Amino acid sequence: MEVKILSAKFDIEDSHKLEIAKQHGAYATIDKLFAMKPEEVIEEVKNSGLRGRGGAGFPAGVKWGFLPKGTGKPVYLAVNSDESEPATFKDRYILVKDPHMMIEGIIICSYAIGSHDTYIYIRGEYTSQVKALQAAIDEAYEAGYLGKTVAGHDFKLEVTVHRGAGAYVCGEETGLLESIEGKKGQPRAKPPFPAVSGLYGCPTIINNVQSIASLPFILEKGAEAYKAYGTEKSSGTHLFGISGHVEKPGMYELPLGLPLLEVVEKVAGGVWKGRKLKGVIPGGSSTPVLTPEEAKTVTLDYESMAEHKTMFGSGGIVVLDETVDMVKLVENLIYFYHHESCGQCTPCREGLGWMLKIIKKVVRGEGEMSDIDLLSELCDNIEMKTVCVLSAACTMPVRSYLTKFRHEFDAYVSEGASTAAANQE
Amino acid sequence: MSDRSQLISTGEPFKFDQERDTEFERLIKRYPERESMILPALWLTQEQEGWISAEAIAYIADRIGTFASKVFECATFYTMYHLHPMGKYHICVCRTLSCWLRDKQAIVDYLKDEIGIEPGQKSEDGKFSLEEVECLGHCGTAPVVQINGEFHEEMDVEKLKALLAELN
Ligand SMILES: Cc1cc2nc3c(=O)[nH]c(=O)nc-3n(C[C@H](O)[C@H](O)[C@H](O)COP(=O)(O)O)c2cc1C
Ligand code: SF4
Ligand code: FES
């Protein structure tokens, strides 16, 4: 089931080094790129159907098309390497194993959108990863792929790495821009969208690492070759991270559209310890959970996930075995999002705090039935009433657990904490 | 860490050493606005000293040409900046979903017992500080621990014992 498009060089020794990467085709598209018009590059990417791999799944070429023309201002590219959505661990493989594929993608994107300055925003916790990335960038500068010209072509391109310092919200695109500007990572109200007014008030494109790293293949082999992978509407391949209760957790590149349960069985070795499946989180902790019944019919693409009232998200699949206590899992989730709230919207800052207090009370066995209803009500009152969707990233999954596993919450109230917890095991 | 409200003064003036000074000058040319240097300068400071003092905040503000309050704001908003000295070994245990599913609690409990401190605290001899942190992006090899920035994956109590022995 696995394919090797983005991960083609991952198993090659020293593939992060320019020389080795070049032997395996790195920077092969540069001459072809500069022979094309920028609009043609955008068209090719649109035709490939590549969708943003940061979680929202917005078509990449379409986003680039939103840039206003002739503003006289510089255009910036920000590469989102914050990788902070729980259960997401894919981009760092690109940063460490094949950084030149991403740098080549940056060149392609920059040329297409007419940008001469890229900022790569990398989460602060990625200490060794940032070193690997910087070393690759230094090599690319020395070899003349970056700097005053790009491989001899009259195109200036500067790439700067900007380190975050521990804030999930800086993965949100405008929180990320604020952070580059030297501020707290508090997301901006939209519109204006970053394509119109982004970094330093200039037109800015923000793309995920994996989206950018997908570009060299598309340019080299063509949109049709990319579309040969995946489904009609969800084209290409994706680096999926499978974690939780499976025998072989890890990062696997797969074409989109495969049946979820088959992937869990065949690729990740199935539910560990011979246990039964209780649920699957399909695309990072902010995506609504699927029951085993729902998981039977879902496939790993944007459309199927939407039909199952969840989201493709960031490809971070979490498998939950029969022993998982969903009430405590929800406590863990709410704690995370509350902790990471940037604090500027009252419904998010106070609402998630209130939800955390209630769920803790339930976990202690001091909850009442009305508390469970209050949790759902809070979800409704918080969602879509805030500047960014961090709050919804909490309320959407929480609501899914409350509806699909309601009996577990009720049990905590009616049977008391110890019995309810014991029954989960 | 737990108390991030207070700036501590060392009573000594702060400045970047030669290496950090060079890096500061290299980086500042990369940004059209000087305030973009606030986060990088805080990192340089923390690399040099291990933590960020009142004097360092004032120095960074002065060096960039901005208000100390803006530097302070970032130093407190971002959880990785330390406003007081950490232990010689700063241990971060991921507490989020995938690590929680694979029993990160056993690791935290062991560390609590072994070192005798709660998350957010530093041992009396200054050797260890412990912190529970959010998802570290290594969920496929959970549970994950980071010690002084270095990742240790697929941790369990046995491995942790061996690791602590090495540090001791
Ligand atoms: C709270 C929050 C956190 C996010 N974290 C990330 C992240 O860590 N990495 C990422 O690429 N996108 C993240 N996103 C999505 C970005 O806002 C944005 O959609 C994405 O970087 C755009 O790139 P793409 O179109 O290539 O996916 C996050 C969004 C939100 C609301
Ligand atoms: S929703 Fe939460 S994280 Fe997003 S801007 Fe508002 S307070 Fe900040
Ligand atoms: S949940 Fe611990 S590293 Fe992601």
Side-chain angles (χ1 to χ4, degrees):
Chain A
M1 294 179 130
E2 284 183 72
V3 288
K4 303 260 176 213
I5 304 299
L6 292 164
S7 57
K9 298 198 221 53
F10 286 7
D11 298 330
I12 298 167
E13 201 182 333
D14 287 338
S15 58
H16 61 283
K17 290 187 181 152
L18 179 63
E19 202 188 305
I20 309 286
K22 270 180 76 177
Q23 280 166 17
H24 293 89
Y27 300 107
T29 60
I30 303 298
D31 290 337
K32 181 176 181 182
L33 172 74
F34 285 98
M36 290 169 83
K37 291 201 186 76
E39 306 82 71
E40 289 171 344
V41 180
I42 297 183
E43 208 46 40
E44 193 71 28
V45 174
K46 268 190 198 164
N47 289 341
S48 77
L50 172 66
R51 294 168 65 157
R53 303 301 196 211
F58 197 81
V62 176
K63 174 149 66 180
W64 301 355
F66 290 156
L67 283 171
K69 299 235 153 41
T71 59
K73 291 180 182 172
V75 174
Y76 291 109
L77 171 63
V79 181
N80 194 339
S81 188
D82 197 52
E83 185 138 274
S84 44
E85 163 87 357
T88 311
F89 53 100
K90 59 184 180 69
D91 296 337
R92 69 181 164 87
Y93 287 92
I94 298 173
L95 302 178
V96 170
K97 303 233 178 217
D98 199 356
H100 290 290
M101 174 171 62
M102 181 178 73
I103 298 172
E104 187 176 351
I106 288 173
I107 296 172
I108 295 169
C109 179
S110 299
Y111 178 70
I113 65 174
S115 167
H116 302 282
D117 287 285
T118 295
Y119 293 96
I120 303 174
Y121 190 88
I122 180 169
R123 59 179 308 179
E125 293 86 346
Y126 278 180
T127 46
S128 58
Q129 291 84 354
V130 74
K131 284 192 190 122
L133 173 64
Q134 187 62 54
I137 291 172
D138 292 345
E139 265 195 307
Y141 265 101
E142 265 167 48
Y145 289 110
L146 298 174
K148 292 197 173 63
T149 60
V150 171
H153 298 278
D154 183 19
F155 191 84
K156 177 177 169 290
L157 184 54
E158 302 285 354
V159 176
T160 306
V161 177
H162 194 89
R163 278 184 85 191
Y168 164 65
V169 71
C170 290
E172 197 281 341
E173 52 186 16
T174 56
L176 182 151
L177 297 179
E178 290 284 299
S179 188
I180 298 178
E181 289 182 9
K183 299 173 196 151
K184 292 178 287 188
Q186 292 188 317
R188 301 173 183 171
K190 290 176 258 188
F193 287 94
V196 176
S197 177
L199 192 56
Y200 310 113
C202 299
T204 304
I205 292 295
I206 298 124
N207 271 129
N208 169 263
V209 169
Q210 195 194 330
S211 315
I212 292 291
S214 302
L215 299 172
F217 180 89
I218 293 170
L219 207 75
E220 188 190 343
K221 302 268 163 62
E224 288 307 316
Y226 190 73
K227 276 164 74 173
Y229 296 93
T231 69
E232 189 175 335
K233 285 189 179 150
S234 296
S235 64
T237 70
H238 200 288
L239 302 180
F240 288 95
I242 310 181
S243 65
H245 297 154
V246 287
E247 290 290 347
K248 292 192 291 171
M251 193 280 293
Y252 303 98
E253 180 172 13
L254 304 166
L256 278 81
L258 295 174
L260 172 80
L261 281 191
E262 230 173 280
V263 166
V264 169
E265 280 303 321
K266 293 191 180 142
V267 179
V271 182
W272 73 347
K273 301 180 180 177
R275 289 186 189 156
K276 284 215 278 296
L277 182 70
K278 187 171 201 174
V280 182
I281 302 169
S285 67
S286 63
T287 57
V289 68
L290 295 166
T291 61
E293 199 53 34
E294 293 167 319
K296 275 185 194 154
T297 48
V298 79
T299 52
L300 293 171
D301 54 82
Y302 298 93
E303 289 69 35
S304 180
M305 291 295 174
E307 278 160 21
H308 288 77
K309 303 210 163 39
T310 184
M311 286 174 307
F312 183 82
S314 58
I317 301 168
V318 188
V319 174
L320 309 171
D321 77 15
E322 56 190 323
T323 68
V324 176
D325 182 330
M326 293 305 205
V327 181
K328 287 185 176 160
L329 183 147
V330 165
E331 180 191 13
N332 188 283
L333 274 188
I334 299 177
Y335 182 97
F336 172 81
Y337 289 98
H338 173 248
H339 182 264
E340 298 300 321
S341 168
C342 83
Q344 66 177 328
C345 317
T346 314
C348 176
R349 183 188 64 241
E350 304 300 327
L352 298 186
W354 196 5
M355 285 173 69
L356 184 60
K357 272 192 192 150
I358 296 169
I359 193 76
K360 281 190 159 168
K361 184 176 156 203
V362 173
V363 166
R364 283 199 307 270
E366 295 161 12
E368 292 154 42
M369 279 303 170
S370 59
D371 287 327
I372 315 295
D373 296 321
L374 187 54
L375 274 178
S376 321
E377 202 182 310
L378 278 167
C379 288
D380 297 341
N381 286 335
I382 292 168
E383 208 166 298
M384 298 313 171
K385 294 180 174 63
T386 54
V387 169
C388 89
V389 294
L390 181 142
S391 59
C394 182
T395 56
M396 287 185 307
V398 168
R399 191 186 288 114
S400 74
Y401 296 95
L402 286 173
T403 13
K404 296 177 188 179
F405 298 92
R406 172 78 193 217
H407 55 283
E408 292 195 22
F409 293 83
D410 290 350
Y412 261 86
V413 175
S414 55
E415 298 166 19
S418 49
T419 332
N423 284 346
Q424 303 307 319
E425 276 155 22
Chain B
M1 303 251 316
S2 52
D3 179 11
R4 317 198 312 132
S5 59
Q6 214 77 66
L7 277 184
I8 299 175
S9 169
T10 60
E12 303 275 326
F14 172 84
K15 72 185 188 74
F16 286 144
D17 58 21
Q18 191 58 52
E19 190 189 338
R20 270 79 190 191
D21 203 83
T22 313
E23 182 64 2
F24 182 92
E25 289 306 321
R26 180 185 82 83
L27 280 172
I28 199 159
K29 296 190 191 75
R30 293 307 194 101
Y31 299 98
E33 291 180 12
R34 295 180 68 89
E35 278 178 7
S36 285
M37 278 305 289
I38 294 179
L39 267 71
L42 286 167
W43 272 125
L44 290 173
T45 307
Q46 188 154 306
E47 272 166 33
Q48 184 176 315
E49 301 294 321
W51 63 291
I52 292 151
S53 64
E55 286 81 2
I57 297 266
Y59 173 80
I60 293 170
D62 193 45
R63 189 81 193 250
I64 292 173
T66 187
F67 299 106
S69 61
K70 289 197 175 179
V71 182
F72 178 68
E73 201 168 83
C74 285
T76 51
F77 181 85
Y78 295 93
T79 56
M80 289 185 77
Y81 294 131
H82 305 310
L83 298 184
H84 46 89
M86 295 294 106
K88 182 172 171 213
Y89 300 106
H90 182 56
I91 307 177
C92 297
V93 184
C94 173
R95 63 152 295 283
T96 319
L97 189 63
S98 304
C99 290
W100 176 77
L101 287 170
R102 284 193 169 237
D103 207 10
K104 64 89 186 167
Q105 198 54 44
I107 309 246
V108 177
D109 290 344
Y110 176 78
L111 286 170
K112 277 201 231 175
D113 276 1
E114 197 58 26
I115 311 174
I117 51 171
E118 293 289 318
Q121 294 177 342
K122 184 164 75 169
S123 62
E124 260 172 40
D125 59 3
K127 196 152 184 187
F128 297 104
S129 46
L130 180 61
E131 188 178 2
E132 279 197 277
V133 296
E134 300 304 332
C135 177
L136 289 168
H138 284 60
C139 331
T141 42
V144 181
V145 173
Q146 229 184 351
I147 303 181
N148 292 349
E150 199 181 315
F151 281 100
H152 301 275
E153 304 166 55
E154 296 182 303
M155 286 307 286
D156 54 36
V157 170
E158 285 309 307
K159 279 190 179 178
L160 199 61
K161 265 186 201 164
L163 198 63
L164 286 189
E166 248 174 68
L167 300 181
N168 274 310

